[in-house]
Every structure is written in C-alpha cells, then in structure tokens.
Amino acid sequence: MGITDTSHRPDGAVGKQGAPRRRADAERNITAILDAALVCFTEQPQASMAAIARTAGVGRVTLYTHFPSREVLLEAVLDHTITQAGAAIETAAPDEGPAVDALGRLLRISWRVLDRHRRLFELAQRELDPAVLRRHHDQAMGHVEQLLVRGRQEGAFRTDLPLSWLVTTVYSLLHAAAADVTAGHLSQDTAADVLEATLLPALRSP
Amino acid sequence: MGITDTSHRPDGAVGKQGAPRRRADAERNITAILDAALVCFTEQPQASMAAIARTAGVGRVTLYTHFPSREVLLEAVLDHTITQAGAAIETAAPDEGPAVDALGRLLRISWRVLDRHRRLFELAQRELDPAVLRRHHDQAMGHVEQLLVRGRQEGAFRTDLPLSWLVTTVYSLLHAAAADVTAGHLSQDTAADVLEATLLPALRSP
C-alpha cells in the first residue's frame, strides 16, 4: 500500500466541491499518522493502534480507515522510511567516481539511515512476513546492487561469486552491525568504519 | 533448561524403589519429545503441542509436565541441536593446523549443521526472545571465537577490528547463506564454498 493511497476514502461518490477538500484532509491525516507511527514504533515498539491515533491527533476510525491493521501500518511506515532513505542515498552520488570510493560513501549513508531507524527495522524484522521484508530489502538495496554491477564491469569488484550474494553480504552485515550496536558490542561511532573495513576486502577483486 | 533436567518430575518424594524407574521413564519421554519436536518444527513450523505429543507417543499432560510452553520446548530443541552440533564440530579439529585451514573445515561443518536444521533456526529466530537467541548464538559460536583468537595470535587473522565483530561476521553470513538458499537465490551445493570465499578475505590479516 502506497503512503498516499487514498483508495480507502469513503468519499468516492461525493459532489465535485467536497472531493478535493476531503482528499486534502485525508492526505494530511495519512501524513500525521505515518509521522506518529514512526515515533511510536521507535520509542515504544508495543505501542497500540489507539496510542498511535492519539499521537497523530486523529480518531481511531480515521486511523483504521487508512490502515486497517497494525501490520499494514508498520509496512507503510517502513516503505515511507525506505523511500526517504533513497533520497538521502542519491546525495552520495553512487554513480560517480571509482566504484570502491562510491561504495564507501554509500555504506556511510546507509549506516546513518539504518542506525537512526534501528528500532523500526528490528520491529519490522520481528513482525512482518519474510516475503514482505524481502520486497523492502530489494527496494532498499537497489542502489547497492547497481553499484556492484558497475564495479564488476570496471574490474573493481569480484565476479567469482553471484551478484545476489554480494548484495546479501552488504545487507546482512549492515543489519548485524546495527544489532551489535543495540547489544552494546559495537560502538555507534566506529560502526561505519568497521563495516567498510570488513566489506571492502570481501567484495573487491582478488 | 537442560535436556535431561527432570526437576519438573512430580515424583521427588516417592519411595526408593520407584524413583529410578520413574526417572528412566521421564528421560525416555523427554528424548522422545525432543526428537518428535525437532521433526515437527522442521516439517511443519506451526505444529501444535498436541501434534508434537502425538508424534512423540506421549500424553499432553506428560508433554506439558516437562515443557510447560511451546517456547520452552522450542528452546530445548535448539539447545539439544546446538549441543549435538558441538560434537560434530569437534571432528573438524579446530585446534589443529594452520588457523586459516581450520576455519575452512569449521565453516564446512557449521554450514552442514545449519543447512540440515535451517527450518528450526528460522523458526527460533522468529519466535524466541533476542536475548535467548544471543545466548544460543554464543554457545554455537564458541569454537569460531576460539579459533579466531588463535589465528589472531598466529598473525593469520586481522586484529584491527573487535573480536566480537569478527564472530558476528561469521555468524551473520552463515545465517544469510541459509536464508538465500531457502529463498532460492543460492544453491545448496555451492553455499559452503561461497561462504569460505567471502569470509576468508574479510577475516585475514591484510
């Protein structure tokens, strides 16, 4: 479900003057709900739908009209966050310069996004269906995959292992670093350097 | 809870003759339940406690006497499997020969255990508490950690990153490979080679 999907609006058949206004209200409500849900899921993973509606300043009926279940809402928040992360990753210019340097920049940005939304991703991993997670994983890792393809063409990254496995390696170690930070086994400040120092020798051409 | 823990037996106060017999019965029941639970959890992760009792050939009361909840049973099966895996890993002689070669042997054995019990580990990851998983993770990774310590002393493995992170790297990529095999993205036959080819450059001294 897209974040601006208003197909659940019950106002499909209202008069011409009412519709744009109601659509604007719906979009404002959806934005407020997604913002509130991100805060609630992050600060208190067990937050109820009622608490999320209260934080968003909307009624429970409005919340359930747009997001019929906690799972749908969690998936929408994840989708929203990954879309925003995609915009941040563009600023790392992954298509420019030597692939090894671009990977370093991409890892640093990805780590910042992951670290900031660590609790949300942990919650998603516990509560969402593995197939749903896989779809979001593919969405989030699109830039990494493109960069690996370019780096393989340029001879910088290894071609003796499947491309999908190299993407899995990056994704798994990013999440493992986040879990180690949560568990107090890795310091937040050094995690990005540690990731780069581990991943580059694993990915580079021998 | 250990697999031969019979502290839940209601026969603590019986006469001298009855106790050993009842203890033997209890141990036989526990073994039958753990074997049945491993089969059930692996073949049908949603298997009910009633189904597990039927497969084990014991009554539900007996099952619940030894394992008061599905979670306790799942943890006991995991513990049992990791203990058996420890015995298999001893055969790889991780303390002998060059550390890099020993790591290759250890990875191959660990992969075989993980691959064989993939469904069980996936279920445990979904259903058990992260702190409980971490304890089992430490138990399972004890040999890897010892070998990494030895290899660092010998100059074979890198010392510029925390030891705990090197253990995390091995553990994460083992599980990521299992997930990629399940998702059909990696072939079961090549997974051990792919793991070794990824991990050795990440772990070796530069």
Side-chain angles (χ1 to χ4, degrees), chain A residues 134 158 161-162 164-165 168-169 172-173 176-177 180 185-186 194 197-198 201-202, chain B residues 134 158 161 164-165 168-169 172-173 176-177 180 185-186 194-195 197-198 201-202:
Chain A
R134 184 95 210 172
R158 65 199 297 178
L161 300 180
S164 64
W165 170 252
T168 292
T169 299
S172 306
L173 292 186
D180 263 18
H185 293 126
L186 190 63
V194 165
T198 311
Chain B
R134 184 96 209 171
R158 64 200 297 176
L161 300 180
S164 65
W165 170 252
T168 293
T169 299
S172 305
L173 292 186
D180 264 18
H185 293 127
L186 190 64
V194 166
L195 272 168
T198 312

PDB file of all heavy atoms in Angstrom, chain A residues 134 158 161-162 164-165 168-169 172-173 176-177 180 185-186 194 197-198 201-202, chain B residues 134 158 161 164-165 168-169 172-173 176-177 180 185-186 194-195 197-198 201-202:
ATOM      1  N   ARG A 134      11.476  -9.104   2.277  1.00  0.00           N
ATOM      2  CA  ARG A 134      12.353  -9.325   1.118  1.00  0.00           C
ATOM      3  C   ARG A 134      12.106  -8.241   0.059  1.00  0.00           C
ATOM      4  O   ARG A 134      13.025  -7.733  -0.552  1.00  0.00           O
ATOM      5  CB  ARG A 134      12.074 -10.725   0.555  1.00  0.00           C
ATOM      6  CG  ARG A 134      12.969 -11.155  -0.584  1.00  0.00           C
ATOM      7  CD  ARG A 134      14.143 -11.981  -0.073  1.00  0.00           C
ATOM      8  NE  ARG A 134      15.296 -11.795  -0.923  1.00  0.00           N
ATOM      9  CZ  ARG A 134      16.502 -12.252  -0.656  1.00  0.00           C
ATOM     10  NH1 ARG A 134      16.745 -12.897   0.473  1.00  0.00           N
ATOM     11  NH2 ARG A 134      17.502 -12.050  -1.472  1.00  0.00           N
ATOM     12  N   ARG A 158      34.621  -8.311  -7.309  1.00  0.00           N
ATOM     13  CA  ARG A 158      34.797  -9.700  -7.744  1.00  0.00           C
ATOM     14  C   ARG A 158      33.600 -10.198  -8.556  1.00  0.00           C
ATOM     15  O   ARG A 158      32.448  -9.798  -8.326  1.00  0.00           O
ATOM     16  CB  ARG A 158      35.055 -10.596  -6.538  1.00  0.00           C
ATOM     17  CG  ARG A 158      33.880 -10.663  -5.591  1.00  0.00           C
ATOM     18  CD  ARG A 158      34.320 -11.144  -4.221  1.00  0.00           C
ATOM     19  NE  ARG A 158      34.860 -12.497  -4.274  1.00  0.00           N
ATOM     20  CZ  ARG A 158      35.360 -13.140  -3.217  1.00  0.00           C
ATOM     21  NH1 ARG A 158      35.377 -12.550  -2.030  1.00  0.00           N
ATOM     22  NH2 ARG A 158      35.810 -14.352  -3.338  1.00  0.00           N
ATOM     23  N   LEU A 161      31.645 -14.699  -7.505  1.00  0.00           N
ATOM     24  CA  LEU A 161      30.500 -15.073  -6.657  1.00  0.00           C
ATOM     25  C   LEU A 161      29.246 -14.440  -7.240  1.00  0.00           C
ATOM     26  O   LEU A 161      29.323 -13.407  -7.910  1.00  0.00           O
ATOM     27  CB  LEU A 161      30.723 -14.571  -5.225  1.00  0.00           C
ATOM     28  CG  LEU A 161      31.968 -15.116  -4.499  1.00  0.00           C
ATOM     29  CD1 LEU A 161      32.057 -14.530  -3.098  1.00  0.00           C
ATOM     30  CD2 LEU A 161      31.935 -16.641  -4.438  1.00  0.00           C
ATOM     31  N   PRO A 162      28.059 -15.045  -6.978  1.00  0.00           N
ATOM     32  CA  PRO A 162      26.821 -14.471  -7.537  1.00  0.00           C
ATOM     33  C   PRO A 162      26.606 -13.034  -7.059  1.00  0.00           C
ATOM     34  O   PRO A 162      26.864 -12.727  -5.895  1.00  0.00           O
ATOM     35  CB  PRO A 162      25.716 -15.381  -6.976  1.00  0.00           C
ATOM     36  CG  PRO A 162      26.395 -16.626  -6.513  1.00  0.00           C
ATOM     37  CD  PRO A 162      27.807 -16.252  -6.181  1.00  0.00           C
ATOM     38  N   SER A 164      23.832 -11.580  -6.441  1.00  0.00           N
ATOM     39  CA  SER A 164      22.829 -11.534  -5.364  1.00  0.00           C
ATOM     40  C   SER A 164      23.478 -11.829  -4.013  1.00  0.00           C
ATOM     41  O   SER A 164      23.064 -11.285  -2.987  1.00  0.00           O
ATOM     42  CB  SER A 164      21.696 -12.520  -5.634  1.00  0.00           C
ATOM     43  OG  SER A 164      22.192 -13.841  -5.614  1.00  0.00           O
ATOM     44  N   TRP A 165      24.505 -12.676  -4.006  1.00  0.00           N
ATOM     45  CA  TRP A 165      25.183 -12.985  -2.739  1.00  0.00           C
ATOM     46  C   TRP A 165      25.984 -11.782  -2.240  1.00  0.00           C
ATOM     47  O   TRP A 165      26.040 -11.517  -1.038  1.00  0.00           O
ATOM     48  CB  TRP A 165      26.082 -14.215  -2.889  1.00  0.00           C
ATOM     49  CG  TRP A 165      26.971 -14.399  -1.695  1.00  0.00           C
ATOM     50  CD1 TRP A 165      28.308 -14.197  -1.613  1.00  0.00           C
ATOM     51  CD2 TRP A 165      26.536 -14.773  -0.364  1.00  0.00           C
ATOM     52  NE1 TRP A 165      28.754 -14.421  -0.335  1.00  0.00           N
ATOM     53  CE2 TRP A 165      27.690 -14.770   0.458  1.00  0.00           C
ATOM     54  CE3 TRP A 165      25.301 -15.092   0.198  1.00  0.00           C
ATOM     55  CZ2 TRP A 165      27.640 -15.094   1.806  1.00  0.00           C
ATOM     56  CZ3 TRP A 165      25.245 -15.402   1.551  1.00  0.00           C
ATOM     57  CH2 TRP A 165      26.397 -15.407   2.333  1.00  0.00           C
ATOM     58  N   THR A 168      23.523  -9.588  -0.641  1.00  0.00           N
ATOM     59  CA  THR A 168      23.164 -10.184   0.659  1.00  0.00           C
ATOM     60  C   THR A 168      24.245  -9.911   1.698  1.00  0.00           C
ATOM     61  O   THR A 168      23.948  -9.617   2.860  1.00  0.00           O
ATOM     62  CB  THR A 168      22.974 -11.708   0.507  1.00  0.00           C
ATOM     63  OG1 THR A 168      21.820 -11.954  -0.290  1.00  0.00           O
ATOM     64  CG2 THR A 168      22.789 -12.389   1.854  1.00  0.00           C
ATOM     65  N   THR A 169      25.509 -10.002   1.293  1.00  0.00           N
ATOM     66  CA  THR A 169      26.621  -9.779   2.220  1.00  0.00           C
ATOM     67  C   THR A 169      26.570  -8.354   2.784  1.00  0.00           C
ATOM     68  O   THR A 169      26.682  -8.152   3.998  1.00  0.00           O
ATOM     69  CB  THR A 169      27.962 -10.043   1.496  1.00  0.00           C
ATOM     70  OG1 THR A 169      27.976 -11.406   1.075  1.00  0.00           O
ATOM     71  CG2 THR A 169      29.153  -9.794   2.405  1.00  0.00           C
ATOM     72  N   SER A 172      23.354  -8.035   5.049  1.00  0.00           N
ATOM     73  CA  SER A 172      23.442  -8.788   6.310  1.00  0.00           C
ATOM     74  C   SER A 172      24.382  -8.114   7.290  1.00  0.00           C
ATOM     75  O   SER A 172      24.089  -8.029   8.484  1.00  0.00           O
ATOM     76  CB  SER A 172      23.983 -10.192   6.074  1.00  0.00           C
ATOM     77  OG  SER A 172      23.222 -10.827   5.115  1.00  0.00           O
ATOM     78  N   LEU A 173      25.528  -7.643   6.792  1.00  0.00           N
ATOM     79  CA  LEU A 173      26.483  -7.047   7.726  1.00  0.00           C
ATOM     80  C   LEU A 173      26.013  -5.679   8.213  1.00  0.00           C
ATOM     81  O   LEU A 173      26.262  -5.317   9.366  1.00  0.00           O
ATOM     82  CB  LEU A 173      27.889  -7.012   7.115  1.00  0.00           C
ATOM     83  CG  LEU A 173      28.518  -8.404   6.937  1.00  0.00           C
ATOM     84  CD1 LEU A 173      29.961  -8.288   6.476  1.00  0.00           C
ATOM     85  CD2 LEU A 173      28.462  -9.244   8.216  1.00  0.00           C
ATOM     86  N   ALA A 176      23.665  -6.687  10.891  1.00  0.00           N
ATOM     87  CA  ALA A 176      24.403  -7.293  12.006  1.00  0.00           C
ATOM     88  C   ALA A 176      25.097  -6.207  12.827  1.00  0.00           C
ATOM     89  O   ALA A 176      25.138  -6.279  14.062  1.00  0.00           O
ATOM     90  CB  ALA A 176      25.423  -8.294  11.474  1.00  0.00           C
ATOM     91  N   ALA A 177      25.629  -5.178  12.144  1.00  0.00           N
ATOM     92  CA  ALA A 177      26.280  -4.078  12.862  1.00  0.00           C
ATOM     93  C   ALA A 177      25.254  -3.335  13.725  1.00  0.00           C
ATOM     94  O   ALA A 177      25.536  -2.995  14.881  1.00  0.00           O
ATOM     95  CB  ALA A 177      26.940  -3.118  11.876  1.00  0.00           C
ATOM     96  N   ASP A 180      24.604  -5.416  16.745  1.00  0.00           N
ATOM     97  CA  ASP A 180      25.745  -5.378  17.674  1.00  0.00           C
ATOM     98  C   ASP A 180      25.792  -4.045  18.429  1.00  0.00           C
ATOM     99  O   ASP A 180      26.180  -4.016  19.595  1.00  0.00           O
ATOM    100  CB  ASP A 180      27.069  -5.610  16.917  1.00  0.00           C
ATOM    101  CG  ASP A 180      27.507  -7.077  16.995  1.00  0.00           C
ATOM    102  OD1 ASP A 180      26.652  -7.939  17.304  1.00  0.00           O
ATOM    103  OD2 ASP A 180      28.695  -7.366  16.749  1.00  0.00           O
ATOM    104  N   HIS A 185      27.796  -4.322  21.788  1.00  0.00           N
ATOM    105  CA  HIS A 185      29.049  -4.984  21.419  1.00  0.00           C
ATOM    106  C   HIS A 185      29.882  -4.190  20.412  1.00  0.00           C
ATOM    107  O   HIS A 185      31.004  -4.567  20.109  1.00  0.00           O
ATOM    108  CB  HIS A 185      28.768  -6.374  20.833  1.00  0.00           C
ATOM    109  CG  HIS A 185      28.207  -7.318  21.834  1.00  0.00           C
ATOM    110  ND1 HIS A 185      27.045  -8.014  21.639  1.00  0.00           N
ATOM    111  CD2 HIS A 185      28.637  -7.665  23.067  1.00  0.00           C
ATOM    112  CE1 HIS A 185      26.789  -8.749  22.702  1.00  0.00           C
ATOM    113  NE2 HIS A 185      27.736  -8.563  23.577  1.00  0.00           N
ATOM    114  N   LEU A 186      29.287  -3.142  19.857  1.00  0.00           N
ATOM    115  CA  LEU A 186      30.000  -2.344  18.854  1.00  0.00           C
ATOM    116  C   LEU A 186      29.633  -0.892  19.136  1.00  0.00           C
ATOM    117  O   LEU A 186      28.481  -0.607  19.475  1.00  0.00           O
ATOM    118  CB  LEU A 186      29.520  -2.770  17.459  1.00  0.00           C
ATOM    119  CG  LEU A 186      30.280  -2.239  16.241  1.00  0.00           C
ATOM    120  CD1 LEU A 186      31.717  -2.741  16.242  1.00  0.00           C
ATOM    121  CD2 LEU A 186      29.593  -2.694  14.948  1.00  0.00           C
ATOM    122  N   VAL A 194      34.087   0.154  10.664  1.00  0.00           N
ATOM    123  CA  VAL A 194      34.205  -1.301  10.810  1.00  0.00           C
ATOM    124  C   VAL A 194      33.529  -2.000   9.626  1.00  0.00           C
ATOM    125  O   VAL A 194      34.065  -2.951   9.045  1.00  0.00           O
ATOM    126  CB  VAL A 194      33.587  -1.749  12.161  1.00  0.00           C
ATOM    127  CG1 VAL A 194      33.352  -3.255  12.199  1.00  0.00           C
ATOM    128  CG2 VAL A 194      34.482  -1.323  13.322  1.00  0.00           C
ATOM    129  N   ALA A 197      35.679  -1.584   6.529  1.00  0.00           N
ATOM    130  CA  ALA A 197      36.907  -2.390   6.621  1.00  0.00           C
ATOM    131  C   ALA A 197      36.611  -3.887   6.451  1.00  0.00           C
ATOM    132  O   ALA A 197      37.485  -4.660   6.068  1.00  0.00           O
ATOM    133  CB  ALA A 197      37.585  -2.138   7.968  1.00  0.00           C
ATOM    134  N   THR A 198      35.392  -4.298   6.752  1.00  0.00           N
ATOM    135  CA  THR A 198      35.030  -5.718   6.602  1.00  0.00           C
ATOM    136  C   THR A 198      34.549  -6.002   5.188  1.00  0.00           C
ATOM    137  O   THR A 198      34.890  -7.027   4.588  1.00  0.00           O
ATOM    138  CB  THR A 198      33.886  -6.077   7.584  1.00  0.00           C
ATOM    139  OG1 THR A 198      34.213  -5.601   8.884  1.00  0.00           O
ATOM    140  CG2 THR A 198      33.663  -7.585   7.625  1.00  0.00           C
ATOM    141  N   PRO A 201      37.344  -5.767   1.615  1.00  0.00           N
ATOM    142  CA  PRO A 201      38.128  -6.950   1.213  1.00  0.00           C
ATOM    143  C   PRO A 201      37.240  -8.129   0.776  1.00  0.00           C
ATOM    144  O   PRO A 201      37.674  -8.944  -0.045  1.00  0.00           O
ATOM    145  CB  PRO A 201      38.940  -7.307   2.469  1.00  0.00           C
ATOM    146  CG  PRO A 201      38.397  -6.485   3.584  1.00  0.00           C
ATOM    147  CD  PRO A 201      37.634  -5.349   3.000  1.00  0.00           C
ATOM    148  N   ALA A 202      36.020  -8.192   1.307  1.00  0.00           N
ATOM    149  CA  ALA A 202      35.131  -9.300   0.918  1.00  0.00           C
ATOM    150  C   ALA A 202      34.598  -9.116  -0.507  1.00  0.00           C
ATOM    151  O   ALA A 202      34.269 -10.090  -1.179  1.00  0.00           O
ATOM    152  CB  ALA A 202      33.971  -9.416   1.907  1.00  0.00           C
TER     153      ALA A 202
ATOM    154  N   ARG B 134      20.621 -14.861  21.581  1.00  0.00           N
ATOM    155  CA  ARG B 134      22.012 -14.407  21.744  1.00  0.00           C
ATOM    156  C   ARG B 134      22.804 -15.436  22.573  1.00  0.00           C
ATOM    157  O   ARG B 134      23.951 -15.731  22.270  1.00  0.00           O
ATOM    158  CB  ARG B 134      21.998 -13.039  22.439  1.00  0.00           C
ATOM    159  CG  ARG B 134      23.361 -12.397  22.583  1.00  0.00           C
ATOM    160  CD  ARG B 134      23.633 -11.404  21.446  1.00  0.00           C
ATOM    161  NE  ARG B 134      25.055 -11.320  21.171  1.00  0.00           N
ATOM    162  CZ  ARG B 134      25.592 -10.683  20.147  1.00  0.00           C
ATOM    163  NH1 ARG B 134      24.813 -10.100  19.252  1.00  0.00           N
ATOM    164  NH2 ARG B 134      26.873 -10.646  19.971  1.00  0.00           N
ATOM    165  N   ARG B 158      43.021 -10.798  11.202  1.00  0.00           N
ATOM    166  CA  ARG B 158      43.210  -9.379  11.478  1.00  0.00           C
ATOM    167  C   ARG B 158      42.934  -9.036  12.946  1.00  0.00           C
ATOM    168  O   ARG B 158      42.075  -9.650  13.599  1.00  0.00           O
ATOM    169  CB  ARG B 158      42.338  -8.540  10.547  1.00  0.00           C
ATOM    170  CG  ARG B 158      40.856  -8.774  10.758  1.00  0.00           C
ATOM    171  CD  ARG B 158      40.050  -8.333   9.544  1.00  0.00           C
ATOM    172  NE  ARG B 158      40.185  -6.897   9.310  1.00  0.00           N
ATOM    173  CZ  ARG B 158      39.652  -6.257   8.277  1.00  0.00           C
ATOM    174  NH1 ARG B 158      38.926  -6.935   7.383  1.00  0.00           N
ATOM    175  NH2 ARG B 158      39.800  -4.966   8.133  1.00  0.00           N
ATOM    176  N   LEU B 161      40.056  -5.042  14.003  1.00  0.00           N
ATOM    177  CA  LEU B 161      38.618  -4.952  14.294  1.00  0.00           C
ATOM    178  C   LEU B 161      38.326  -5.757  15.558  1.00  0.00           C
ATOM    179  O   LEU B 161      39.052  -6.702  15.881  1.00  0.00           O
ATOM    180  CB  LEU B 161      37.801  -5.525  13.120  1.00  0.00           C
ATOM    181  CG  LEU B 161      37.998  -4.817  11.762  1.00  0.00           C
ATOM    182  CD1 LEU B 161      37.137  -5.478  10.699  1.00  0.00           C
ATOM    183  CD2 LEU B 161      37.668  -3.336  11.875  1.00  0.00           C
ATOM    184  N   SER B 164      34.676  -9.582  18.744  1.00  0.00           N
ATOM    185  CA  SER B 164      33.237  -9.898  18.735  1.00  0.00           C
ATOM    186  C   SER B 164      32.628  -9.589  17.364  1.00  0.00           C
ATOM    187  O   SER B 164      31.701 -10.273  16.919  1.00  0.00           O
ATOM    188  CB  SER B 164      32.506  -9.117  19.826  1.00  0.00           C
ATOM    189  OG  SER B 164      32.578  -7.733  19.551  1.00  0.00           O
ATOM    190  N   TRP B 165      33.152  -8.571  16.686  1.00  0.00           N
ATOM    191  CA  TRP B 165      32.622  -8.249  15.357  1.00  0.00           C
ATOM    192  C   TRP B 165      33.008  -9.327  14.336  1.00  0.00           C
ATOM    193  O   TRP B 165      32.213  -9.671  13.454  1.00  0.00           O
ATOM    194  CB  TRP B 165      33.100  -6.871  14.894  1.00  0.00           C
ATOM    195  CG  TRP B 165      32.777  -6.623  13.450  1.00  0.00           C
ATOM    196  CD1 TRP B 165      33.646  -6.590  12.406  1.00  0.00           C
ATOM    197  CD2 TRP B 165      31.460  -6.447  12.885  1.00  0.00           C
ATOM    198  NE1 TRP B 165      32.965  -6.387  11.226  1.00  0.00           N
ATOM    199  CE2 TRP B 165      31.619  -6.299  11.488  1.00  0.00           C
ATOM    200  CE3 TRP B 165      30.172  -6.404  13.428  1.00  0.00           C
ATOM    201  CZ2 TRP B 165      30.540  -6.108  10.633  1.00  0.00           C
ATOM    202  CZ3 TRP B 165      29.090  -6.213  12.572  1.00  0.00           C
ATOM    203  CH2 TRP B 165      29.280  -6.065  11.188  1.00  0.00           C
ATOM    204  N   THR B 168      30.609 -12.033  14.874  1.00  0.00           N
ATOM    205  CA  THR B 168      29.317 -11.618  14.302  1.00  0.00           C
ATOM    206  C   THR B 168      29.320 -11.779  12.777  1.00  0.00           C
ATOM    207  O   THR B 168      28.323 -12.212  12.188  1.00  0.00           O
ATOM    208  CB  THR B 168      29.029 -10.141  14.656  1.00  0.00           C
ATOM    209  OG1 THR B 168      28.818 -10.041  16.062  1.00  0.00           O
ATOM    210  CG2 THR B 168      27.792  -9.623  13.931  1.00  0.00           C
ATOM    211  N   THR B 169      30.432 -11.432  12.144  1.00  0.00           N
ATOM    212  CA  THR B 169      30.527 -11.528  10.689  1.00  0.00           C
ATOM    213  C   THR B 169      30.336 -12.983  10.231  1.00  0.00           C
ATOM    214  O   THR B 169      29.560 -13.259   9.306  1.00  0.00           O
ATOM    215  CB  THR B 169      31.893 -10.978  10.220  1.00  0.00           C
ATOM    216  OG1 THR B 169      31.974  -9.601  10.600  1.00  0.00           O
ATOM    217  CG2 THR B 169      32.052 -11.076   8.722  1.00  0.00           C
ATOM    218  N   SER B 172      26.615 -14.045  11.007  1.00  0.00           N
ATOM    219  CA  SER B 172      25.621 -13.390  10.145  1.00  0.00           C
ATOM    220  C   SER B 172      25.647 -13.960   8.740  1.00  0.00           C
ATOM    221  O   SER B 172      24.596 -14.191   8.138  1.00  0.00           O
ATOM    222  CB  SER B 172      25.905 -11.897  10.021  1.00  0.00           C
ATOM    223  OG  SER B 172      25.984 -11.328  11.272  1.00  0.00           O
ATOM    224  N   LEU B 173      26.853 -14.174   8.210  1.00  0.00           N
ATOM    225  CA  LEU B 173      26.914 -14.658   6.828  1.00  0.00           C
ATOM    226  C   LEU B 173      26.498 -16.121   6.740  1.00  0.00           C
ATOM    227  O   LEU B 173      25.883 -16.532   5.741  1.00  0.00           O
ATOM    228  CB  LEU B 173      28.290 -14.396   6.217  1.00  0.00           C
ATOM    229  CG  LEU B 173      28.586 -12.904   5.989  1.00  0.00           C
ATOM    230  CD1 LEU B 173      29.905 -12.719   5.238  1.00  0.00           C
ATOM    231  CD2 LEU B 173      27.468 -12.193   5.220  1.00  0.00           C
ATOM    232  N   ALA B 176      22.803 -15.761   6.707  1.00  0.00           N
ATOM    233  CA  ALA B 176      22.369 -15.126   5.457  1.00  0.00           C
ATOM    234  C   ALA B 176      22.426 -16.134   4.303  1.00  0.00           C
ATOM    235  O   ALA B 176      21.544 -16.154   3.440  1.00  0.00           O
ATOM    236  CB  ALA B 176      23.249 -13.918   5.153  1.00  0.00           C
ATOM    237  N   ALA B 177      23.457 -16.989   4.307  1.00  0.00           N
ATOM    238  CA  ALA B 177      23.558 -18.009   3.255  1.00  0.00           C
ATOM    239  C   ALA B 177      22.386 -18.983   3.356  1.00  0.00           C
ATOM    240  O   ALA B 177      21.788 -19.357   2.341  1.00  0.00           O
ATOM    241  CB  ALA B 177      24.893 -18.749   3.369  1.00  0.00           C
ATOM    242  N   ASP B 180      19.387 -17.299   1.935  1.00  0.00           N
ATOM    243  CA  ASP B 180      19.466 -17.213   0.471  1.00  0.00           C
ATOM    244  C   ASP B 180      19.189 -18.570  -0.175  1.00  0.00           C
ATOM    245  O   ASP B 180      18.595 -18.621  -1.261  1.00  0.00           O
ATOM    246  CB  ASP B 180      20.845 -16.687   0.034  1.00  0.00           C
ATOM    247  CG  ASP B 180      20.819 -15.169  -0.216  1.00  0.00           C
ATOM    248  OD1 ASP B 180      19.880 -14.507   0.260  1.00  0.00           O
ATOM    249  OD2 ASP B 180      21.738 -14.660  -0.896  1.00  0.00           O
ATOM    250  N   HIS B 185      18.008 -18.195  -3.911  1.00  0.00           N
ATOM    251  CA  HIS B 185      18.989 -17.286  -4.517  1.00  0.00           C
ATOM    252  C   HIS B 185      20.409 -17.837  -4.503  1.00  0.00           C
ATOM    253  O   HIS B 185      21.313 -17.256  -5.086  1.00  0.00           O
ATOM    254  CB  HIS B 185      18.979 -15.933  -3.807  1.00  0.00           C
ATOM    255  CG  HIS B 185      17.703 -15.184  -4.008  1.00  0.00           C
ATOM    256  ND1 HIS B 185      16.956 -14.678  -2.981  1.00  0.00           N
ATOM    257  CD2 HIS B 185      17.022 -14.886  -5.135  1.00  0.00           C
ATOM    258  CE1 HIS B 185      15.883 -14.080  -3.467  1.00  0.00           C
ATOM    259  NE2 HIS B 185      15.895 -14.208  -4.765  1.00  0.00           N
ATOM    260  N   LEU B 186      20.607 -18.944  -3.770  1.00  0.00           N
ATOM    261  CA  LEU B 186      21.951 -19.529  -3.672  1.00  0.00           C
ATOM    262  C   LEU B 186      21.766 -21.038  -3.711  1.00  0.00           C
ATOM    263  O   LEU B 186      20.809 -21.553  -3.121  1.00  0.00           O
ATOM    264  CB  LEU B 186      22.588 -19.081  -2.341  1.00  0.00           C
ATOM    265  CG  LEU B 186      24.064 -19.365  -2.113  1.00  0.00           C
ATOM    266  CD1 LEU B 186      24.932 -18.599  -3.117  1.00  0.00           C
ATOM    267  CD2 LEU B 186      24.474 -18.944  -0.689  1.00  0.00           C
ATOM    268  N   VAL B 194      31.073 -20.598  -1.283  1.00  0.00           N
ATOM    269  CA  VAL B 194      30.787 -19.159  -1.349  1.00  0.00           C
ATOM    270  C   VAL B 194      31.077 -18.505   0.003  1.00  0.00           C
ATOM    271  O   VAL B 194      31.696 -17.430   0.077  1.00  0.00           O
ATOM    272  CB  VAL B 194      29.315 -18.935  -1.785  1.00  0.00           C
ATOM    273  CG1 VAL B 194      28.873 -17.500  -1.530  1.00  0.00           C
ATOM    274  CG2 VAL B 194      29.137 -19.286  -3.257  1.00  0.00           C
ATOM    275  N   LEU B 195      30.680 -19.171   1.071  1.00  0.00           N
ATOM    276  CA  LEU B 195      30.934 -18.647   2.417  1.00  0.00           C
ATOM    277  C   LEU B 195      32.427 -18.509   2.684  1.00  0.00           C
ATOM    278  O   LEU B 195      32.893 -17.481   3.179  1.00  0.00           O
ATOM    279  CB  LEU B 195      30.324 -19.584   3.462  1.00  0.00           C
ATOM    280  CG  LEU B 195      28.880 -19.309   3.828  1.00  0.00           C
ATOM    281  CD1 LEU B 195      28.314 -20.466   4.637  1.00  0.00           C
ATOM    282  CD2 LEU B 195      28.778 -18.002   4.626  1.00  0.00           C
ATOM    283  N   ALA B 197      34.844 -18.291   0.505  1.00  0.00           N
ATOM    284  CA  ALA B 197      35.438 -17.289  -0.389  1.00  0.00           C
ATOM    285  C   ALA B 197      35.101 -15.858   0.060  1.00  0.00           C
ATOM    286  O   ALA B 197      35.823 -14.919  -0.247  1.00  0.00           O
ATOM    287  CB  ALA B 197      34.952 -17.511  -1.822  1.00  0.00           C
ATOM    288  N   THR B 198      34.002 -15.691   0.768  1.00  0.00           N
ATOM    289  CA  THR B 198      33.618 -14.362   1.253  1.00  0.00           C
ATOM    290  C   THR B 198      34.296 -14.055   2.586  1.00  0.00           C
ATOM    291  O   THR B 198      34.773 -12.940   2.821  1.00  0.00           O
ATOM    292  CB  THR B 198      32.084 -14.279   1.454  1.00  0.00           C
ATOM    293  OG1 THR B 198      31.439 -14.787   0.296  1.00  0.00           O
ATOM    294  CG2 THR B 198      31.636 -12.844   1.703  1.00  0.00           C
ATOM    295  N   PRO B 201      38.773 -13.507   2.952  1.00  0.00           N
ATOM    296  CA  PRO B 201      39.358 -12.171   2.753  1.00  0.00           C
ATOM    297  C   PRO B 201      38.901 -11.149   3.784  1.00  0.00           C
ATOM    298  O   PRO B 201      39.635 -10.209   4.101  1.00  0.00           O
ATOM    299  CB  PRO B 201      38.912 -11.773   1.334  1.00  0.00           C
ATOM    300  CG  PRO B 201      37.897 -12.768   0.917  1.00  0.00           C
ATOM    301  CD  PRO B 201      38.032 -13.977   1.768  1.00  0.00           C
ATOM    302  N   ALA B 202      37.685 -11.344   4.328  1.00  0.00           N
ATOM    303  CA  ALA B 202      37.190 -10.381   5.328  1.00  0.00           C
ATOM    304  C   ALA B 202      37.907 -10.552   6.670  1.00  0.00           C
ATOM    305  O   ALA B 202      38.012  -9.594   7.448  1.00  0.00           O
ATOM    306  CB  ALA B 202      35.683 -10.552   5.513  1.00  0.00           C
TER     307      ALA B 202
END
